[in-house]
Amino acid sequence: MLKPQPEDLPDLKRIRNIIRRGWTQGASARLANGKPCSALNSRAKSWCLWGAVNKADATGTAIIRALQHYDYIGWNDQFGRTQEEVLAVLDAAIADSIKQEKEIHGT
């Protein structure tokens, strides 16, 4: 079973902060008018998980471990998925990563 690791924590926090600002489906990112754009576009207002990973200059490994499977784009774009669900998974992964760090370092 894949588990978030302590080294995932910085990436997970950056990805969470991006998704908190705005989330989308069906495009890596969107402008304020809803038009798809690059995740790195300075005018982007919302991002899917893949777009947030790119904007955060992170690897997908942290997200794969957080979701427990490899298709995080499909997971993000699943019909009915909400921003709150995405944030909840990220929050749980951040908590797991912190827990793993404490177990390793005994704090």
Side-chain angles (χ1 to χ4, degrees), residues 60-71:
T61 306
I63 295 300
I64 290 167
R65 287 196 274 245
L67 295 175
Q68 303 294 308
H69 62 81
Y70 295 95
D71 185 15

Side-chain angles (χ1 to χ4, degrees), residues 1-6 9 12 65-66 68 89-103:
M1 182 165 133
L2 302 170
K3 286 182 149 186
Q5 299 297 308
L9 190 57
L12 290 168
R65 287 196 274 245
Q68 303 294 308
V89 165
L90 291 167
D91 288 341
I94 288 167
D96 284 347
S97 182
I98 291 169
K99 181 181 175 186
Q100 289 288 325
E101 185 172 44
K102 287 180 179 178
E103 288 174 3

